[in-house]
Amino acid sequence: MHSKHRRLTNWIKYGLQAVLYVLMFICFFSFQAISNPQLLNLSRTAVTTTMAFILSTMVLSVVYGGFDIGIRKKRSVLSSMCLTFFITDIITYLFLQIMNVNPQNPEANKRLTLLGEDLLLLIIAIIVQMALIYLIVSIGHKLYYRLNPPKRSLIITSSQELANQVASKLEIHKKRYRLCECVHYECPDVEASILAHEVVFLAGIPDTEEGQLESFCYQNNKSIYLMAELEDVIISTAHSIVLDDMPFLNIHRVEPTPFQLLFKRIMDITISLFGLIVFSPLMLIAAIAIKLGDNGPVFFRQQRATINGNIFSIVKFRTMSVAASSVAEQHSATKDDDRVTRVGRFLRASRIDELPQLWNVLKGDMSIVGPRPEMLENVNKYTAEVPEFRYRQQMKAGMTGLAQIEGKYNTSPKDKAMLDLIYIEQFSLAQDLKLMLRTLTIFFRRDSTEGFGEKQFSCPKMRVKPLLSAASADSNTAETTADAHTDAYANAL
């Protein structure tokens, strides 16, 4: 029954995805064919333009995640699909205009023309596509969660503090997970609790006990989420190898090659120069707005740490009051921080305050992609709390990166360290290009610039004693205990 339900869900999901992709293709080519009738014939222009559209869609779907209904939030899927087809349309449009240039053909363009009737038709096509994306993603979202109600979820941990941390993350995924219980890993009926739930989250459990619980979950086909630790990140890069007839996991550190570092630096110089030129009008407007706001300095400089602990002076647009910016000892912004100016709030929300860092990239202090450079005060504080935090300095600091994209301004130091370590361990030039493109998704997230502060969430009190002592004592099997456990919990709800 469960298998049939999963197949039905997949059929609906992939069916809607196929319909969406076909509609995007038809929409683009239908509008462009109004002024380019050759697209309706089996011509070189039609074939080349079609291939450009299909290949761009395939690559960008991998970059942005595609039609991940049920895996990511609706807003994330919408932003991913909109970016995928917006960029695909631009690329395909450029190919079409290039193919239309033929000085020898009186019916073709004598030179490359990007502005004109085709551009207007492109804008109309994009507007129609965005509307269709919203409609189909909304339908898919509703159908998925109607077929897949929130899964009964269990947190097994070693402290209430860790349980609260996990619960705070599940709070924004209420449609996927319904947190029912939090149990200490040494609780006598922990296995019965596992059998009574569909999803199990393991956090902060000693290795031996964690391995036993993982094995039990695996045997009983329970979905497991394991809070990542340093050793888990290291193992994630392991390669399986068989020596004679014995399987091993081969773990070794892969350092960036001289070619990779050279190419990365060339990309940094090229992109930072291009960015400084293209965004110079926007930066000028931001500078004028800051100056008119309180007549204070436009830029804010602060000491930050980068590769090998080297110190450099980062440059940003000033977003806080003059008094707050001149304080010797700085601390991270909090939610509704009164130090942030009215202009500063807009600059922070739009990430315009980060643009001057392109100068740091051009100088070589930073890279476009890399671990986020932290304030020196935070580096010392976080390293004392989370020893793994120092491993972030194995690569040059960057304007964007995995922690900046997947995390938030107020992401915990440990989670920042884990995300940055995942990037470092899995470094590749292709990954850098992918992260550059994915940076655009930040602008669609409401919580990306969320300051430090208390977050509202609910978490059951961690249980250390059996829920049904009598039932557990009389039961002969774990399944019987689980049934009694489930009934008792349902009554409690």
Side-chain angles (χ1 to χ4, degrees):
M1 183 68 181
H2 181 71
S3 178
K4 289 182 178 179
H5 187 270
R6 185 169 60 249
R7 283 199 297 269
L8 176 61
T9 300
N10 287 335
W11 273 110
I12 292 175
K13 177 179 176 179
Y14 295 132
L16 285 174
Q17 182 177 8
V19 169
L20 176 61
Y21 280 41
V22 169
L23 286 176
M24 296 300 100
F25 178 85
I26 292 174
C27 185
F28 176 87
F29 280 84
S30 296
F31 279 99
Q32 288 300 312
I34 294 175
S35 56
N36 296 276
Q38 66 271 24
L39 291 176
L40 301 177
N41 304 317
L42 188 59
S43 61
R44 185 180 64 174
T45 298
V47 173
T48 303
T49 308
T50 298
M51 291 304 299
F53 188 94
I54 293 174
L55 290 176
S56 297
T57 300
M58 291 172 61
V59 172
L60 291 169
S61 293
V62 172
V63 170
Y64 290 115
F67 197 74
D68 285 341
I69 294 293
I71 297 176
R72 294 182 297 154
K73 292 184 292 184
K74 177 182 175 181
R75 189 182 183 89
S76 296
V77 178
L78 281 171
S79 64
S80 295
M81 299 308 300
C82 287
L83 283 170
T84 293
F85 286 104
F86 176 79
I87 298 175
T88 293
D89 288 348
I90 298 299
I91 293 173
T92 310
Y93 176 79
L94 291 175
F95 267 90
L96 175 61
Q97 299 310 312
I98 292 171
M99 294 299 298
N100 281 340
V101 176
N102 188 348
Q104 308 302 322
N105 186 349
E107 297 182 358
N109 297 328
K110 303 300 181 183
R111 62 181 183 276
L112 183 64
T113 305
L114 299 179
L115 305 178
E117 183 183 4
D118 287 357
L119 179 60
L120 177 61
L121 293 171
L122 173 67
I123 294 172
I124 296 173
I126 290 174
I127 293 173
V128 174
Q129 285 178 331
M130 298 303 110
L132 288 172
I133 288 171
Y134 182 84
L135 175 64
I136 294 178
V137 169
S138 297
I139 292 173
H141 187 77
K142 288 184 178 180
L143 286 176
Y144 182 91
Y145 288 111
R146 180 169 294 181
L147 291 172
N148 300 273
K151 295 182 179 179
R152 298 190 310 277
S153 303
L154 166 71
I155 297 176
I156 302 177
T157 183
S158 57
S159 69
Q160 185 67 52
E161 181 182 1
L162 282 172
N164 291 341
Q165 290 180 21
V166 177
S168 69
K169 307 305 177 185
L170 298 182
E171 187 71 18
I172 61 174
H173 294 283
K174 287 183 176 180
K175 290 188 175 182
R176 291 184 63 188
Y177 309 108
R178 178 164 63 90
L179 180 55
C180 300
E181 272 195 287
C182 293
V183 180
H184 193 276
Y185 70 92
E186 291 182 328
C187 186
D189 66 344
V190 64
E191 291 186 352
S193 294
I194 291 173
L195 293 175
H197 296 84
E198 299 171 276
V199 180
V200 179
F201 292 86
L202 305 177
I205 303 173
D207 293 341
T208 302
E209 288 80 358
E210 182 180 85
Q212 293 172 351
L213 291 171
E214 287 178 14
S215 178
F216 184 81
C217 290
Y218 183 78
Q219 293 171 17
N220 290 279
N221 198 28
K222 302 297 180 181
S223 182
I224 310 169
Y225 287 85
L226 177 64
M227 180 181 284
E229 302 290 347
L230 176 61
E231 55 269 24
D232 300 312
V233 174
I234 294 173
I235 292 175
S236 68
T237 62
H239 298 280
S240 60
I241 186 172
V242 178
L243 297 180
D244 194 9
D245 59 351
M246 182 176 291
F248 285 86
L249 289 177
N250 176 232
I251 303 172
H252 66 283
R253 187 70 194 281
V254 180
E255 298 286 346
T257 65
F259 170 77
Q260 287 178 317
L261 294 176
L262 175 62
F263 193 83
K264 186 176 173 70
R265 180 60 187 146
I266 292 173
M267 282 200 306
D268 288 342
I269 294 173
T270 304
I271 295 173
S272 59
L273 269 175
F274 179 78
L276 286 169
I277 294 170
V278 171
F279 293 115
S280 56
L282 182 61
M283 294 171 70
L284 178 60
I285 294 172
I288 294 172
I290 294 170
K291 200 67 178 177
L292 293 176
D294 58 8
N295 200 34
V298 171
F299 296 107
F300 171 70
R301 291 176 172 82
Q302 189 179 63
Q303 298 296 297
R304 298 286 179 100
T306 183
I307 186 169
N308 299 324
N310 296 330
I311 308 301
F312 73 100
S313 180
I314 198 171
V315 184
K316 300 177 67 175
F317 282 124
R318 181 176 58 85
T319 59
M320 294 189 178
S321 65
V322 177
S325 300
S326 60
V327 174
E329 186 175 346
Q330 297 287 329
H331 61 85
S332 300
T334 58
K335 187 177 181 180
D336 300 324
D337 199 322
D338 58 6
R339 297 176 301 163
V340 180
T341 64
R342 186 167 54 182
V343 174
R345 286 193 181 90
F346 173 77
L347 295 180
R348 293 170 76 92
S350 60
R351 301 301 179 104
I352 295 175
D353 66 317
E354 309 275 355
L355 290 179
Q357 292 174 50
L358 290 168
W359 175 248
N360 288 115
V361 175
L362 185 61
K363 287 171 57 183
D365 297 330
M366 296 173 61
S367 179
I368 293 294
V369 182
R372 186 78 181 121
E374 282 288 348
M375 297 188 305
L376 299 186
E377 293 85 353
N378 285 351
V379 171
N380 298 329
K381 177 184 175 183
Y382 294 161
T383 303
E385 297 174 0
V386 186
E388 296 90 344
F389 200 80
R390 67 180 182 273
Y391 295 124
R392 300 169 68 252
Q393 297 178 359
Q394 295 177 106
M395 289 197 73
K396 187 182 291 187
M399 288 185 65
T400 188
L402 186 62
Q404 294 92 303
I405 295 170
E406 296 293 350
K408 295 176 284 188
Y409 181 79
N410 61 356
T411 297
S412 71
K414 181 177 179 180
D415 290 338
K416 281 183 180 179
M418 291 298 108
L419 289 169
D420 283 329
L421 285 174
I422 290 172
Y423 164 73
I424 292 171
E425 291 296 325
Q426 299 178 357
F427 169 75
S428 69
L429 294 174
Q431 179 79 346
D432 272 18
L433 291 171
K434 181 178 178 180
L435 290 173
M436 288 180 199
L437 289 170
R438 287 188 61 200
T439 301
L440 296 172
T441 61
I442 293 176
F443 298 101
F444 294 88
R445 292 179 53 189
R446 297 173 180 172
D447 57 357
S448 62
T449 57
E450 182 179 79
F452 288 86
E454 294 297 325
K455 182 182 291 186
Q456 298 297 321
F457 64 91
S458 59
C459 179
K461 184 178 179 180
M462 184 180 67
R463 190 165 54 79
V464 297
K465 295 181 180 180
L467 185 63
L468 291 174
S469 300
S472 298
D474 295 339
S475 297
N476 294 322
T477 65
E479 288 79 5
T480 305
T481 306
D483 292 339
H485 184 281
T486 304
D487 292 341
Y489 187 77
N491 292 332
L493 288 177

